[in-house]
Structure formats: C-alpha cells, structure tokens
Amino acid sequence: MKSLAELRELFEPANEAKAWEIIQNLRQNFDPSLFSRVRVDSQEEALASGIAIIRDIRAVLENLGLPLSRIESGHGIGHIIRDYAHSLMLASKQECHHAHLLVGLVAGTFHDVGCTLVSRYQDHRRAVGHAEAGAILLWEILQDALFEGPQRPEPILIAWAVAAHTHYLKPI
C-alpha cells in the first residue's frame, strides 16, 4: 500500500496524469458480472460484512494519518456519519442482490473520503477530483489491507462506485 506521502504526491497537480491513468484503469476493469463473485449469501451477512469493512477502513485511515476528522467541514465527520446512517438505513430496506447492498453500504459511507486528499471545492479545476481520489485511496486500502487474496471483486466494485459519484455534466 502507498504511504500517505506517496498518496499526497499522486494528487499534486503535476502528477494528475498518473492519477487519471489509475482511474481509467479502474473504470476499464469494472464489469457488472463482478457482483456475482462477492462472497455474501444474505442481507444480514452483507450488512454485517459492510459494517466490518467500514470499521476496518476507518482504522486503516487513522493508521495512515488520514483521520476522518481532517476532512474539510462541508464533508467532514458529521457528513460521513450521516452518509453512514443513510447508507445503513437504505441497505437494510432494499430488495436487491446482497452484493449490491454490501458495495452500496461501504461506497455510500465513504463516497467523500477523497476529501482527505483533494479539496472537493477544487474539483472544477482538476482532472482528478475528490471522487476519483477517494476511489484510488479505497482501492489501495481494500486490495492491500482488507481483501488480500486472489481476484477478490469487492475492492474494484467499491472503488468504482465511489469514483462514479462525480457529476460529469458540470464543466470540468
């Protein structure tokens, strides 16, 4: 996993081409069929697994030196807690595939985590905004720290969902 210094350097304006390349690779590797390989068999298991992943991501962020308390106030800890509560409420009431619940819960909670590295209010001036920065950060955490093992689909699905919340209809 990249260090905090390496992550910060990746999102410097001079290095955006590399970050953009990572995002394009992530988007190209997304395939909806990956949902069928997520290892959850029930709604309860999806919710329990999602909550555990959220807890583990938070711990990795703290250890990395990116506590959620450092996110700018507009998308800070209060916003993340509200997103978590909303995601948990929605996921617990949805009638859909269990893998979608797991991914939705985690990505819904952390969709603004990129604000720890990139100001959301600078997105219009950047090729790689807070959504993409969050996707790369979660990709690093999930594939290296939480989902070691061959070809696990969860990291790409969660990272893709976080990157997908960028509003591309606005001029960038």
Side-chain angles (χ1 to χ4, degrees), residues 8-81:
R8 285 199 169 129
E9 185 178 324
L10 180 62
F11 299 110
E12 290 294 322
N15 299 323
E16 275 195 308
K18 177 65 177 160
W20 182 254
E21 183 181 315
I22 293 168
I23 282 297
Q24 293 311 308
N25 187 42
L26 186 142
R27 288 183 171 135
Q28 289 169 358
N29 286 314
F30 171 77
D31 181 344
S33 69
L34 291 171
F35 281 104
S36 67
R37 294 188 19 235
V38 174
R39 299 176 190 169
V40 289
D41 295 320
S42 68
Q43 179 177 3
E44 294 77 22
E45 188 179 347
L47 292 172
S49 182
I51 291 167
I53 293 167
I54 289 166
R55 183 191 64 236
D56 292 345
I57 289 170
R58 192 191 136 280
V60 172
L61 289 169
E62 292 278 337
N63 290 336
L64 194 58
L66 289 173
L68 298 178
S69 61
R70 291 188 49 195
I71 298 177
E72 57 202 16
S73 60
H75 290 84
I77 191 71
H79 182 88
I80 290 171
I81 291 169

Side-chain angles (χ1 to χ4, degrees), residues 101-145:
L101 295 177
L102 175 108
V103 171
L105 177 58
V106 177
T109 299
F110 286 114
H111 75 272
D112 283 323
V113 74
C115 292
T116 58
L117 296 165
V118 171
S119 172
R120 186 231 182 281
Y121 304 106
Q122 295 298 314
D123 279 0
H124 66 286
R125 295 186 179 138
R126 303 177 56 97
V128 176
H130 80 285
E132 294 86 2
I136 292 170
L137 175 60
L138 289 175
W139 171 253
E140 287 284 326
I141 290 171
L142 292 167
Q143 74 170 349
D144 290 346

Side-chain angles (χ1 to χ4, degrees), residues 135-167:
I136 292 170
L137 175 60
L138 289 175
W139 171 253
E140 287 284 326
I141 290 171
L142 292 167
Q143 74 170 349
D144 290 346
L146 302 182
F147 283 104
E148 296 173 14
Q151 306 292 320
R152 292 293 300 268
E154 293 89 342
I156 190 126
L157 291 170
I158 293 167
W160 182 86
V162 168
H165 95 273
T166 295
H167 194 312

